[in-house]
Each structure stands twice: as structure tokens, then as C-alpha cells.
Amino acid sequence: MVIVKNHKNFSTKSMNSLNKLDVGQFNKCLGGIVKNKKSEHIKFLKKQRFILLEAIHEMQKKLDCVDYVIYLLKRINANERDKEEVKMTIGEISQEIGLSADTLRYYEKIGLLPNVPRDNSGKRNYDENFINWIKFIQTLKNSGMSLNDIIEYINLAKCGNNTYQERKNLLIKSKQILLEKMLNLQSMIEKANYQINNYDNILVPKTDALIF
């Protein structure tokens, strides 16, 4: 039986792909309830296999994002910035990054973004470091990391470079979760292939045994 449940670590696109799976019809097809529709059965199974392959492709893109995050992390810790410091208002950084001002305020409120210093008039004053953090948060989100894990990453970052390995471990954990999901999807594809390749000598007899 194929069971697809929602999971917090799946992206919307991945879940949309998986939700295309017609679970009830898929189970009927595999269980052999539909009679004398061999070509329809095989066509249906191939369609489900294609949907699973799409989901695995989406997971692979997330894994690529995780690898890129690890690469960025090494660069951030290895390179010293000596450029002239840039100051930006929330409106300016919103336009620069492509996130709304409300989203930036929310990130700061929940601890996803470190507290932003303010000028004498009380307006937020973003520097280059905050621009890099916001871009980094977007990269973490694109890699499939949950908001809670990103917050934990930020909190560890506030403790200094001695948490370097702990932060990297969060990325490794996120990557491992994605790999496990890919293995699960690959297993489903293999089962679909087995049913297609052995349709005549396995699935049809099962169908006949259940119906007649």
C-alpha cells in the first residue's frame, strides 16, 4: 500500500508533486481490483512513477542547496571583509533583497534575524552583515531547513566561532533528512517498476484471484 503524508521538511513543490499521486487508484491497481484493463494499469503505474521521479528531482535540488550553504559557511568564516560599511533603511534593504518590510520585521521578532541596530530617530539601520545574513537565511530555506532549525543556527552563530561545527551539523542533519526521503521515494519507484515489469505474471493473477 502506498501512503503519502505531509511532512514539515517537504517543500511546497515537493508535496504538490507527491499529492498528484492517486493513492486510492494506485492501491487498487497494485491490488488488482480493476478487471481486464491491462493497458490502463500500466499507463497509470508509469504516470505514478513519473510523479515520484519529479519529487526526487526536487529533493536533489534541495541537496544541492545544502551543499552550497556549507560552501558559503566556509567562505563567511574564512574571509575578512574590509570593504566600506554600507548602511541601509528597511525600505532600501527590502527592495535590495526582495523581501517585504513586514517579513524582515517578523524575522527579527522571532529571532530568525539578529536584532537590528537603530539610528538616533529609532529607524532600523542595516549594514552589509545583515544583508549577508538575510541572503543566507533565504539560502537555508531553499535547502529545506525548517524555520526552527534556522533559528537554532542563528542562536548558535551569536555564540561565536566556537559553534562552527554545531552549525555545520545542522546542515548535515538537514541533508540527511532529504537523503532519507529520497531513498524512500526511490523505493516506491522500484516497486512501481516491479509491478510494471511483472504485470502479466504477478499483478494479473493477483487481480483474477481477488475478483474470481
Side-chain angles (χ1 to χ4, degrees):
M1 180 178 290
V2 178
I3 301 176
V4 179
K5 294 183 179 180
N6 200 353
H7 192 283
K8 64 181 181 179
N9 286 309
F10 270 81
S11 70
T12 301
K13 187 172 181 180
S14 294
M15 284 308 305
N16 286 342
S17 294
L18 290 178
N19 286 337
K20 293 178 185 176
L21 287 170
D22 188 340
V23 178
Q25 183 65 19
F26 192 54
N27 290 335
K28 284 183 180 182
C29 194
L30 295 182
I33 296 177
V34 183
K35 182 181 179 182
N36 296 329
K37 293 184 178 181
K38 173 181 176 180
S39 61
E40 292 183 19
H41 285 189
I42 293 179
K43 181 178 180 181
F44 178 80
L45 289 170
K46 288 182 177 180
K47 178 182 177 182
Q48 306 311 301
R49 178 175 60 184
F50 177 76
I51 292 171
L52 289 169
L53 285 170
E54 279 187 326
I56 284 184
H57 177 67
E58 183 67 20
M59 287 294 176
Q60 185 59 56
K61 289 197 296 184
K62 286 180 173 291
L63 288 175
D64 292 341
C65 283
V66 171
D67 290 335
Y68 182 60
V69 167
I70 293 175
Y71 165 73
L72 286 179
L73 180 59
K74 290 178 179 179
R75 285 191 57 191
I76 288 175
N77 284 273
N79 298 330
E80 294 184 358
R81 295 181 176 85
D82 52 13
K83 295 181 180 180
E84 183 179 352
E85 193 173 25
V86 178
K87 299 291 185 180
M88 300 179 72
T89 66
I90 193 169
E92 291 170 337
I93 197 170
S94 174
Q95 186 175 6
E96 172 77 16
I97 301 298
L99 293 175
S100 69
D102 287 340
T103 298
L104 293 172
R105 293 188 189 99
Y106 178 70
Y107 280 1
E108 185 179 355
K109 179 180 178 180
I110 65 175
L112 190 59
L113 189 66
N115 291 329
V116 182
R118 300 177 182 245
D119 59 21
N120 294 333
S121 62
K123 295 181 180 179
R124 289 175 174 82
N125 213 347
Y126 295 87
D127 59 18
E128 185 181 357
N129 182 60
F130 280 98
I131 296 173
N132 290 334
W133 268 115
I134 294 168
K135 289 181 179 179
F136 196 66
I137 288 169
Q138 290 176 305
T139 304
L140 289 171
K141 287 185 65 179
N142 290 337
S143 73
M145 186 178 285
S146 67
L147 287 181
N148 286 337
D149 281 347
I150 297 176
I151 290 172
E152 183 178 355
Y153 182 96
I154 298 297
N155 289 334
L156 286 170
K158 291 177 181 178
C159 296
N161 288 333
N162 61 320
T163 63
Y164 172 87
Q165 189 58 45
E166 293 175 77
R167 285 178 272 158
K168 187 174 181 179
N169 287 343
L170 281 175
L171 300 173
I172 294 172
K173 183 187 79 170
S174 178
K175 181 176 182 177
Q176 185 59 39
I177 290 172
L178 293 173
L179 286 170
E180 289 173 0
K181 287 177 176 25
M182 288 185 68
L183 286 175
N184 185 48
L185 292 173
Q186 185 61 47
S187 176
M188 294 173 69
I189 289 178
E190 290 174 359
K191 290 176 182 177
N193 285 335
Y194 180 80
Q195 296 293 347
I196 292 170
N197 295 334
N198 296 278
Y199 184 82
D200 289 323
N201 58 349
I202 293 182
L203 199 59
V204 171
K206 283 185 178 180
T207 302
D208 294 342
L210 286 170
I211 294 178
F212 301 109

